[in-house]
Amino acid sequence: MSPKALDYESVNENVKKVQYAVRGELYLRASELEKEGKKIIFTNVGNPHALGQKPLSFPRQVVALCQAPFLLDDPNVGLIFPADAIAKAKHYLSLTSGGLGAYSDSRGLPGVRKEVAEFIGRRDGYPSDPELIFLTDGASKGVMQILNTIIRGEGDGILVPVPQYPLYSATISLFGGSLVPYYLEETANWGLDINNLRESVAHARSKGITVRAMVIINPGNPTGQCLSVANLREILRFCYQENLVLLGDEVYQQNIYQDERPFISARKVMYDMGPPLSNELQLVSFHTVSKGYWGECGQRGGYFEMTNIPPKTVDEIYKVASISLSPTVPGQIFVGLMVNPLKPGDISYDQFIRESKGILESLRKRARIMTDGFNSCRNVVCNFTEGAMYSFPQIRLPPKAIEAARRLGKVPDVFYCLKLLEATGISTVPGSGFGQKEGVFHLRTTILPAEEEMPAIMASFKKFNDEFMEQYEDHRGYSRM
């Protein structure tokens, strides 16, 4: 009897190829241990509210009123909700065709897309067209839509920074394309070398791959670096010369923990460079409510903006978006609230600023505590987290640990992270899930655990790491760059 369509051996091979380390072996083992009663600290995914971050009051008040519009008719509504939240809820309800339970346009609510365009214009100093903005269920869905449009088959390559966020490797595998890695330089604070980019493209072309697009993640995930204007100019020139679409993953643009390199969008730098590049280079930029000081991961609100994309291509992207009918409408409202924030003089403004600044200041402190904590550990080296919400320390594993891992059929950093999980309950992601140079090992952890818990978490890590190194060290040398 022939296998059925959903028997494992008959399943789409591209689905089987997908690897997604953030929810991989470590996460599954952590979930098992949690069911057995062990306290687990899930630092494997950038999920702020799951680690205790409080939601911002004002956006939740607005969306609560949008979800339950009958409250707006209650004569006592003003006793519970501030007047600016009531006004904002009425504003967003007026943009829908029947409240939050009604589908929107497949590109998102026109009124919210207009607010996104105005935000981009204020941020970059150059106007944006709402017709070239699509609202999406988080930035991930937008990335998938665009990669699906670009990738025609395994002969098409996408340049992706390594270490990289596994969304890209997984999606490229799913759509049958080829990932073309370009390596970030750890000793230069995860900087980008344009010569390395050229070598990556030349190597891919020598194998018959047509490189069609380049991904940048700024600030970096998992590496936490912020790209300088000079770096962005180099990247834009490179994409222009090589005729590549630039995909700008800018979801951490609010998460900046140093003052030397503030976030600057690829779009702004491109327009500052002027024609012909600014008129011809194809750019797609992504943003979300899941990160920043919002951390509203479960709301699934995001957008992408297209620059210099031909109208017929935009129509095709719209057609494919229409298959899903509508992005989640509450998520769209959160996007509107993010890009059209409270202004000085608004009733809720002071509280909003107090809450958002408190979150960012605490994240800045946690980034420092974590970096210093890792660098105080034996055989661990860690660059400072300039932005985003992750730390990506290099673990210099002794040869005996590498041998022990291989005897168990484990990648060495997976072996280390599993031991860490069993001993401490700290759930991380091994660096091999993001890509790394041969013979070098890392782990990724978020900087999201509560500030008051961070010293104890780092002490627990240090104790484990010292004992691990003591067990496996034989002074014959280490894994290292």
Side-chain angles (χ1 to χ4, degrees):
M1 188 174 169
S2 61
K4 299 180 180 70
L6 285 177
D7 287 349
Y8 181 75
E9 58 270 28
S10 296
V11 169
N12 182 342
E13 287 300 321
N14 289 341
V15 172
K16 293 182 192 175
K17 286 179 194 170
V18 169
Q19 299 289 324
Y20 192 69
V22 173
R23 293 282 172 92
E25 181 180 358
L26 263 292
Y27 173 77
L28 296 173
R29 179 62 184 142
S31 300
E32 283 174 12
L33 289 170
E34 188 177 44
K35 283 178 191 167
E36 292 166 13
K38 188 174 180 73
K39 186 189 174 191
I40 303 297
I41 303 159
F42 284 99
T43 72
N44 59 299
V45 64
N47 194 8
H49 293 188
L51 286 164
Q53 181 176 309
K54 296 283 190 292
L56 297 169
S57 302
F58 182 75
R60 286 296 186 95
Q61 289 167 334
V62 174
V63 175
L65 288 166
C66 290
Q67 289 280 20
F70 51 82
L71 293 175
L72 293 167
D73 300 325
D74 191 306
N76 295 319
V77 67
L79 300 176
I80 303 170
F81 293 92
D84 48 3
I86 293 168
K88 207 61 142 166
K90 288 178 178 175
H91 160 69
Y92 283 116
L93 286 170
S94 75
L95 300 181
T96 71
S97 60
L100 270 56
Y103 289 133
S104 74
D105 184 284
S106 301
R107 297 166 295 183
L109 295 164
V112 175
R113 285 160 44 221
K114 182 171 179 285
E115 290 178 341
V116 173
E118 288 164 353
F119 157 75
I120 293 169
R122 288 192 307 273
R123 184 195 67 189
D124 295 344
Y126 299 97
S128 172
D129 183 354
E131 294 300 303
L132 298 175
I133 292 164
F134 282 40
L135 305 181
T136 53
D137 295 338
S140 302
K141 193 59 73 75
V143 168
M144 294 179 78
Q145 281 178 249
I146 295 301
L147 286 174
N148 191 27
T149 307
I150 293 171
I151 295 169
R152 300 165 301 183
E154 63 184 356
D156 284 346
I158 310 294
L159 272 168
V160 177
V162 173
Q164 56 97 31
Y165 177 45
L167 163 68
Y168 293 96
S169 52
T171 304
I172 292 164
S173 290
L174 185 62
F175 295 146
S178 296
L179 185 144
V180 180
Y182 66 92
Y183 287 90
L184 303 177
E185 188 49 61
E186 187 167 9
T187 54
N189 205 26
W190 298 114
L192 182 153
D193 181 351
I194 216 77
N195 291 322
N196 178 268
L197 266 180
R198 290 197 180 95
E199 286 170 13
S200 294
V201 170
H203 180 65
R205 285 176 179 158
S206 74
K207 296 196 296 183
I209 292 169
T210 304
V211 182
R212 286 175 52 86
M214 174 178 173
V215 173
I216 56 170
I217 308 175
N218 182 37
N221 174 11
T223 48
Q225 86 288 2
C226 297
L227 291 173
S228 66
V229 172
N231 233 174
L232 284 166
R233 280 199 201 106
E234 280 188 308
I235 291 163
L236 288 157
R237 269 192 220 102
F238 175 80
C239 288
Y240 180 68
Q241 289 162 1
E242 299 292 340
N243 204 26
L244 306 178
V245 182
L246 181 60
L247 307 182
D249 181 333
E250 298 175 335
V251 300
Y252 296 101
Q253 59 190 264
Q254 293 175 336
N255 297 99
I256 307 294
Y257 312 124
Q258 40 72 43
D259 303 316
E260 293 74 36
R261 272 187 299 285
F263 170 78
I264 298 171
S265 73
R267 179 182 182 275
K268 174 174 171 49
V269 176
M270 184 183 80
Y271 278 123
D272 284 349
M273 290 171 77
L277 188 146
S278 61
N279 295 339
E280 296 176 22
L281 177 64
Q282 295 182 344
L283 169 67
V284 186
S285 306
F286 305 88
H287 196 14
T288 182
V289 300
S290 298
K291 309 303 177 187
Y293 46 78
W294 289 70
E296 293 281 6
C297 301
Q299 309 291 354
R300 309 315 298 139
Y303 73 79
F304 62 83
E305 184 209 22
M306 298 171 281
T307 307
N308 296 326
I309 309 298
K312 283 188 174 179
T313 304
V314 175
D315 289 345
E316 293 299 318
I317 294 168
Y318 185 14
K319 178 182 73 181
V320 174
S322 301
I323 296 169
S324 301
L325 292 173
S326 164
T328 170
V329 178
Q332 295 181 51
I333 307 299
F334 273 99
V335 170
L337 289 160
M338 177 179 73
V339 299
N340 186 16
L342 289 158
K343 296 170 181 62
D346 289 341
I347 295 162
S348 302
Y349 177 79
D350 289 346
Q351 182 184 6
F352 180 82
I353 292 299
R354 191 166 60 250
E355 290 175 353
S356 55
K357 273 192 173 171
I359 291 166
L360 283 179
E361 283 168 8
S362 177
L363 283 168
R364 188 181 276 231
K365 284 182 202 164
R366 284 178 267 174
R368 177 51 67 194
I369 292 168
M370 194 162 260
T371 305
D372 291 347
F374 282 131
N375 283 324
S376 74
C377 292
R378 190 164 159 184
N379 299 335
V380 179
V381 184
C382 188
N383 286 320
F384 177 63
T385 301
E386 296 180 343
M389 47 181 64
Y390 310 99
S391 204
F392 198 63
Q394 182 190 149
I395 314 296
R396 295 172 57 204
L397 293 174
K400 273 173 70 177
I402 294 170
E403 287 162 17
R406 292 196 170 133
R407 277 198 303 273
L408 293 171
K410 299 285 183 195
V411 177
D413 54 10
V414 173
F415 174 75
Y416 178 90
C417 290
L418 281 168
K419 293 276 190 189
L420 171 66
L421 172 65
E422 302 278 352
T424 67
I426 301 170
S427 175
T428 58
V429 189
S432 49
F434 301 91
Q436 53 198 351
K437 290 183 178 176
E438 188 68 33
V440 184
F441 305 105
H442 299 82
L443 62 81
R444 188 193 80 166
T445 173
T446 70
I447 61 167
L448 295 173
E451 190 181 326
E452 62 272 16
E453 294 174 13
M454 195 68 87
I457 290 169
M458 294 314 295
S460 174
F461 176 85
K462 185 177 174 65
K463 179 175 182 291
F464 159 78
N465 182 75
D466 286 352
E467 290 171 357
F468 181 94
M469 295 302 169
E470 193 61 40
Q471 179 181 352
Y472 290 102
E473 215 164 23
D474 64 2
H475 310 288
R476 280 195 288 137
Y478 307 92
S479 67
R480 198 167 191 181
M481 293 176 292

